[in-house]
Amino acid sequence: MKKQILLAFLIIVFISSKAISQSNLQNSDCAQLNPEDFNTIINGKQVGLYLLKNANLTAAITNYGGRIVSLCAPDKKGQMADVVLGFKSIDDYLKASGVYHGAIIGRVIGRIAKANIELEGEKYSLSINNGANHQHGGLKGFHNQVWEVKSVTDSSIVLSYVSVDGEMGYPGTLKVEATYQLTSNNELTLKLLATTDKTTVVNLTNHAFFNLSGEGNGFILDHILTIPSNYFCAVNPDKIKTGAILKAAGTPFDFRKGKSIGKDIILENANEQLKIAGGYDQSYVLKKKKSNKILLAATVVDPKSGRKLEVFTTNLGVHFFSANFFKGTDIGKMGKPFNYRESFALETQDYNSPNQKSFPTLILNPGEKYETLTVYQFSSIK
C-alpha cells in the first residue's frame, strides 16, 4: 500500500513538473503558433506550418515562400525569445505590406535595372515591380509561391519548387530544392540546390529579419555587428549595383572590428551611399571566386540579452539591411508592430547583378548545379 501511495505521488510530481516546464515555455518570449492558422489552399496547393526542434532551438517553417516564420534561441540566462520577425497566420502574410519576411528569394535577389537581362545574345524582359525595375524575383517570385514539402523530420524539412520556363520573364525551367535543418551545434542551416534545362541566371537567398532581443523588442541600433570584409558594392539612386566595389575602411561601412549598427548610421545625410539607401542596404564582398569553402559572413551580438548570431556561407557575399523603411503597419506574431530599424537582415548571396559583366557570373547552364549553404549559429556571451 505504501509503495502504491509513493508511486502515485511520484507520478503527480512528474506530471506537475512537466506542466510547470510547459508553462515556463509559454511564458517565454516565443511565439505560440497554431498550425491550423496556416492550413489553407493557395493556387490549388496545400500550405502548412512545420515545427522543428532540437535541444536548444525551435523553428517554424511554412512552405508558402519557404519562409522562416519563427526561430527561438536562448539568451545568456537560458531565456528563450523569438528572434525572427514573422506572422501568426497565413492570412497575415497575405495582407502584409512587407512581403519578404523570412522567405526564400529567387530567381535573383536584388534589383535588376529596367527589368532586362541578356543571355547568349538574347534579351529577356522580366516582371516590373520596383519602379521601372525588377526586384527579388518579381511579383510572383519564389516568396509568393507554394513549395512542395518533400520530407519532414523533427529537426529538418526539405522543400522543392519548379519555376517554369518564362516565369517572371526568366528563361529555362529551374528546379530548386531547399533544406532547413536544426543541428546539435545550435545552428539553423539552409542548403539551396538548383538545376536548369536552359541557360538562365540564379542568385538565391533567405530574407529573414532578425532582432536578437526578440521580435518587436526595440531598436537593433545597439546590436554589435562585425562583417569581416573591407569591400562593399556601390549602388546608384535606384539602389542598383553600379559595378564599382568600394573600400569600407574609413567609411561608415567598415564593420571589420565590430561596432554598434547605430554608431555611424547617423551619418546618412553626409555619406552618399548611406543617403541613397536610407541607412545600410549594401552588399559586402567575402570572396572573389566561387567555391564550396564556407566563410564567416557576419557576427551580431545583442548586449542586453547576450545572444550572439554568427552567419556562415559558401556564397561570395552578404547583403546587410537595417530595416530602413518599416513603418509599424505590420503586426507580428508577438502582437507588436514591425517598426523602423527594429530588425536587420543578413542576406547571403553572390554579390553580382546579372548585367554587371565585371562581377562573377550568375549564369547557370544545363548540366551544372547551383549549390549554396548558409549557417545561422547561435550562442551567448556573458
Side-chain angles (χ1 to χ4, degrees):
M1 185 65 177
K2 290 182 179 180
K3 289 183 178 180
Q4 291 175 335
I5 293 173
L6 179 59
L7 180 60
F9 174 76
L10 291 174
I11 291 173
I12 291 171
V13 169
F14 174 76
I15 293 174
S16 297
S17 67
K18 293 293 283 184
I20 291 170
S21 175
Q22 183 66 23
S23 175
N24 288 339
L25 175 61
Q26 292 174 353
N27 290 332
S28 70
D29 199 8
C30 272
Q32 299 299 302
L33 296 167
N34 184 354
E36 288 300 314
D37 293 330
F38 288 78
N39 186 9
T40 192
I41 303 292
I42 297 177
N43 297 328
K45 298 179 180 180
Q46 180 66 50
V47 176
L49 183 72
Y50 302 86
L51 305 178
L52 312 180
K53 61 181 180 179
N54 65 7
N56 295 307
L57 303 176
T58 64
I61 310 293
T62 178
N63 60 320
Y64 174 64
R67 298 170 188 266
I68 304 172
V69 175
S70 169
L71 180 56
C72 291
D75 67 6
K76 58 188 176 184
K77 297 180 180 179
Q79 178 73 14
M80 302 293 285
D82 203 329
V83 299
V84 166
L85 276 59
F87 298 101
K88 69 180 187 312
S89 71
I90 196 67
D91 289 340
D92 286 349
Y93 277 102
L94 294 175
K95 68 183 182 183
S97 59
V99 299
Y100 303 115
H101 285 292
I104 294 173
I105 306 297
R107 290 186 191 189
V108 174
I109 181 73
R111 297 168 177 84
I112 298 176
K114 298 180 180 179
N116 287 315
I117 60 173
E118 183 175 336
L119 287 170
E120 298 181 322
E122 187 171 350
K123 293 183 178 180
Y124 296 89
S125 296
L126 308 180
S127 163
I128 296 174
N129 64 327
N130 181 257
N133 308 309
H134 174 87
Q135 182 183 20
H136 292 346
L139 288 172
K140 296 183 180 179
F142 293 0
H143 64 288
N144 273 339
Q145 301 294 341
V146 179
W147 293 56
E148 178 187 351
V149 180
K150 294 187 68 175
S151 65
V152 183
T153 70
D154 287 344
S155 59
S156 67
I157 183 170
V158 181
L159 306 172
S160 66
Y161 178 67
V162 178
S163 176
V164 299
D165 185 23
E167 185 175 83
M168 296 293 97
Y170 288 99
T173 294
L174 189 76
K175 296 181 179 180
V176 187
E177 184 177 280
T179 302
Y180 288 104
Q181 183 168 10
L182 293 177
T183 77
S184 58
N185 293 324
N186 292 334
E187 300 166 340
L188 175 66
T189 66
L190 172 58
K191 186 176 184 179
L192 294 166
L193 303 173
T195 58
T196 183
D197 64 356
K198 185 179 180 179
T199 299
T200 191
V201 286
V202 185
N203 194 12
L204 309 178
T205 193
N206 178 277
H207 209 307
F209 287 93
F210 293 89
N211 184 325
L212 298 186
S213 292
E215 179 189 281
N217 283 351
F219 289 117
I220 47 80
L221 298 180
D222 64 342
H223 283 33
I224 307 300
L225 171 65
T226 305
I227 299 178
S229 170
N230 189 32
Y231 299 97
F232 70 99
C233 300
V235 295
N236 67 19
D238 286 332
K239 292 186 283 187
I240 295 169
K241 294 180 177 70
T242 65
I245 295 178
L246 306 179
K247 284 189 176 182
T251 78
F253 295 90
D254 191 353
F255 285 92
R256 289 175 297 168
K257 295 182 179 180
K259 65 182 179 183
S260 68
I261 293 171
K263 182 178 186 297
D264 291 327
I265 206 169
I266 58 174
L267 301 174
E268 59 187 297
N269 290 325
N271 180 278
E272 181 186 13
Q273 287 293 300
L274 277 180
K275 188 174 183 179
I276 286 173
Y280 292 108
D281 195 2
Q282 282 83 8
S283 295
Y284 284 80
V285 178
L286 299 174
K287 55 185 177 182
K288 297 290 184 69
K289 295 181 180 180
K290 290 189 176 183
S291 71
N292 291 326
K293 184 178 180 180
I294 192 162
L295 298 174
L296 177 66
T299 301
V300 190
V301 173
D302 171 29
K304 295 191 295 289
S305 68
R307 287 189 188 87
K308 179 180 179 180
L309 169 63
E310 293 174 284
V311 181
F312 300 85
T313 186
T314 57
N315 284 103
L316 297 177
V318 62
H319 190 93
F320 170 47
F321 178 52
S322 53
N324 306 313
F325 308 111
F326 290 0
K327 299 179 180 179
T329 53
D330 290 333
I331 306 299
K333 56 189 179 292
M334 304 302 295
K336 301 174 183 178
F338 294 162
N339 289 321
Y340 175 72
R341 291 180 179 166
E342 289 192 357
S343 62
F344 64 89
L346 289 166
E347 307 153 44
T348 57
Q349 58 190 269
D350 292 342
Y351 57 84
N352 196 3
S353 183
N355 297 321
Q356 291 299 341
K357 306 303 182 184
S358 62
F359 284 174
T361 183
L362 298 181
I363 292 174
L364 183 69
N365 294 303
E368 298 175 344
K369 181 184 290 186
Y370 173 93
E371 183 173 358
T372 69
L373 175 65
T374 297
V375 177
Y376 307 97
Q377 185 177 65
F378 291 88
S379 59
S380 61
I381 62 170
K382 300 301 181 182

